[in-house]
Amino acid sequence: MAMEITRDVRPPAAAADRFVLAESTLRDGVDLESTSRFGDDVWDLTPALHQAHQSSCKLYFGTLPAGFREVAKELFFAFLAGPLLPGQSRAGIGRIRSHFTQVKTFLEWLDTRGVQCLAEVTSTDLTAFNVLVMSKDISDTSRRALRTAARAFWIYRQQLPTDQLTLDPYTLEGWTRAGRESKGMENMTDRIPPEVIGPLLVWSL
């Protein structure tokens, strides 16, 4: 059974001028004052990249459904600069970018379903999303990533003043189930019809 909560008193909204990379180690020569702020529609995370093969990383919040942009900013601000949860470490910038794609998938799905805010999301909605995830021809790792993106809005709810999930997706039946059932070592190749295999055997002999 899904656990539901009464929404907590909302914490103060993040100030628009707060630096999203305030808790990140910046590249040499980069001044924090020149980096992205919460109120920007595009967050340039490039100044926090330190590997030579990573040349650019940006989050484009304008590509998200309009009704979810503010809460998405709050979520990613929590990832980048918010208080760490117990036992948690700060995610790398590359992981943040991947997570943005997964969060976008979840929010776009909610939007097409007609859900206007996270507070309206029901166990039926989340179960339907999980059915979608299960049906995708992707790895179980990718399925877990999509579920994690959805559940992040519950895990970080105390840092999301604009909107919050009111139930934990993890408590839903089947939420942690793997993808399409594996047949183990069973041979899944279609059997060759006798009219085909017969002449082949004669030829080979």
Side-chain angles (χ1 to χ4, degrees):
M1 181 178 179
M3 180 175 64
E4 299 190 10
I5 63 167
T6 301
R7 296 185 65 184
D8 301 320
V9 176
R10 295 180 178 183
D17 60 351
R18 292 189 66 182
F19 295 105
V20 301
L21 295 178
E23 297 298 321
S24 301
T25 302
L26 304 180
R27 289 177 172 177
D28 291 342
V30 175
D31 183 1
L32 181 62
E33 293 289 331
S34 68
T35 62
S36 297
R37 301 171 187 252
F38 182 90
D40 297 337
D41 288 331
V42 179
W43 291 5
D44 187 359
L45 309 186
T46 307
L49 291 175
H50 297 278
Q51 297 182 4
H53 69 279
Q54 296 176 312
S55 59
S56 179
C57 181
K58 296 181 180 181
L59 305 183
Y60 294 90
F61 290 96
T63 64
L64 302 179
F68 294 107
R69 289 173 191 168
E70 191 70 10
V71 70
K73 283 186 176 184
E74 292 167 354
L75 179 65
F76 281 88
F77 187 85
F79 292 157
L80 290 163
L84 291 174
L85 301 178
Q88 182 193 44
S89 58
R90 197 75 67 185
I93 297 300
R95 181 67 189 93
I96 294 289
R97 181 62 188 85
S98 297
H99 204 53
F100 185 84
T101 299
Q102 294 143 6
V103 166
K104 182 180 180 181
T105 298
F106 175 59
L107 296 180
E108 287 180 337
W109 181 84
L110 289 179
D111 187 58
T112 59
R113 194 173 171 84
V115 177
Q116 298 181 349
C117 64
L118 295 176
E120 293 180 357
V121 175
T122 66
S123 58
T124 300
D125 294 320
L126 290 170
T127 297
F129 178 71
N130 194 39
V131 169
L132 172 69
V133 170
M134 293 282 289
S135 71
K136 285 182 174 292
D137 187 18
I138 56 178
S139 68
D140 283 336
T141 298
S142 296
R143 290 189 181 91
R144 284 193 296 271
L146 285 170
R147 290 167 175 149
T148 297
R151 192 173 183 239
F153 288 103
W154 165 265
I155 298 297
Y156 288 87
R157 64 193 183 280
Q158 299 293 345
Q159 298 184 50
L160 309 179
T162 298
D163 196 8
Q164 299 171 356
L165 281 182
T166 60
L167 59 101
D168 183 358
Y170 192 82
T171 62
L172 298 174
E173 183 177 357
W175 187 260
T176 59
R177 189 178 302 157
R180 299 175 180 178
E181 294 185 2
S182 172
K183 299 296 184 180
M185 298 301 293
E186 181 182 348
N187 187 347
M188 298 299 293
T189 304
D190 291 338
R191 190 172 184 176
I192 301 176
E195 59 269 24
V196 175
I197 193 65
L200 288 174
L201 286 173
V202 171
W203 174 84
S204 65
L205 293 172

